[in-house]
Amino acid sequence: MAGDPPALTHPEWSRRWPGIVQGITVPGEERAWDFRLFGGAGTGVAARWERLGALMGCPAAAHARQPHGAAIRVHDALPAGLLLAPPVDAHATRARRILLAITVADCVPAWVVAPQRGAVAVVHAGWRGAAAGILETAVATLGDRFGAPPGELAVHLGPSICGDCYEVGPEVHEALGEAVPPRPLPVDLRANLARRAVAMGVPAEAVSRSTLCTRCGSVDLFSHRGGDAGRQVAFVALR
């Protein structure tokens, strides 16, 4: 392993809120930057995590096995190193220099930030988590724990499988509250999550969506439906 892990950021957020570190890694040359901690990423994965934290200026990082549910963990302070928390699908903090991290390879990485309150969250949203209300949980947590009402929040829905590539059965459409088709059809999970954010009171103009697809997009990303076992990391931190 050489160099730094390549990453994509939301350029508008980087410009508006330089105190927020936000992004998602990409596989890079020879798809070397695989951040799986569960499922056998092989040797060197601990060093990859350590390098990512150092690059983002964060001595501490938090991650967990992701059960596709609606649980979130709030981190107030962490010792240096990588914390593997009990299974959750979202992390939130107001503490500085803690890298909150989830891994994805088709599911939607969602960032929820409250710049006025100095609070951030990162969310792993597959269809099961979306249906269970994981994004709503994150929005509510930033309000309950950090006093950030939905009207002060911004939400970004990152690279994931797109609404053309993600064909699912009628039961998934139903679980997501979509119109139920008579046969398997594609569903746009990012659009579904955007509607959920607005329904919670996040201003529509503060909800943004990446156009990158993990399966058919112009950037080479790990895709579960594309046959990849690897995972990219979506991360957020406060400087």
Side-chain angles (χ1 to χ4, degrees):
M1 181 183 67
D4 295 327
L8 305 171
T9 61
H10 185 6
E12 181 182 351
W13 283 18
S14 298
R15 176 177 52 80
R16 292 180 64 189
W17 304 310
I20 296 175
V21 176
Q22 175 272 341
I24 184 169
T25 62
V26 298
E29 292 184 11
E30 299 182 0
R31 304 175 77 74
W33 291 97
D34 177 5
F35 283 88
R36 280 177 295 159
L37 283 172
F38 310 104
T43 60
V45 65
R48 286 171 227 149
W49 278 89
E50 183 178 359
R51 182 61 195 144
L52 179 64
L55 182 63
M56 300 304 159
C58 296
H63 182 47
R65 186 182 292 274
Q66 297 159 181
H68 294 271
I72 187 170
R73 186 174 183 90
V74 177
H75 303 275
D76 296 318
L78 290 180
L82 175 63
L83 168 71
L84 291 181
V88 293
D89 283 275
H91 304 267
T93 195
R94 184 184 265 170
R96 309 245 169 218
R97 301 180 71 201
I98 294 177
L99 192 74
L100 306 181
I102 56 100
T103 55
V104 288
D106 284 344
C107 293
V108 180
W111 294 267
V112 185
V113 300
Q116 296 179 57
R117 310 284 175 165
V120 294
V122 66
V123 176
H124 165 255
W127 76 261
R128 290 179 179 84
I134 185 60
L135 184 60
E136 290 90 336
T137 295
V139 169
T141 297
L142 290 190
D144 295 341
R145 293 293 299 268
F146 305 127
E152 290 183 8
L153 301 181
V155 174
H156 182 61
L157 306 167
S160 65
I161 196 165
C162 74
D164 292 328
C165 290
Y166 193 37
E167 183 176 292
V168 293
E171 72 282 0
V172 176
H173 292 261
E174 183 176 18
L176 290 169
E178 302 279 348
V180 181
R183 64 186 186 282
L185 286 176
V187 69
D188 188 337
L189 191 53
R190 281 182 293 211
N192 184 278
L193 288 162
R195 289 192 293 271
R196 289 170 179 270
V198 172
M200 285 287 291
V202 180
E205 62 273 17
V207 180
S208 55
R209 285 183 273 168
S210 171
T211 59
L212 289 175
C213 175
T214 46
R215 188 174 185 184
C216 74
S218 58
V219 176
D220 183 25
L221 295 166
F222 293 121
S223 168
H224 176 71
R225 288 209 170 190
D228 286 318
R231 296 293 184 271
Q232 42 260 351
V233 173
F235 56 86
V236 71
L238 294 163
R239 295 189 191 278

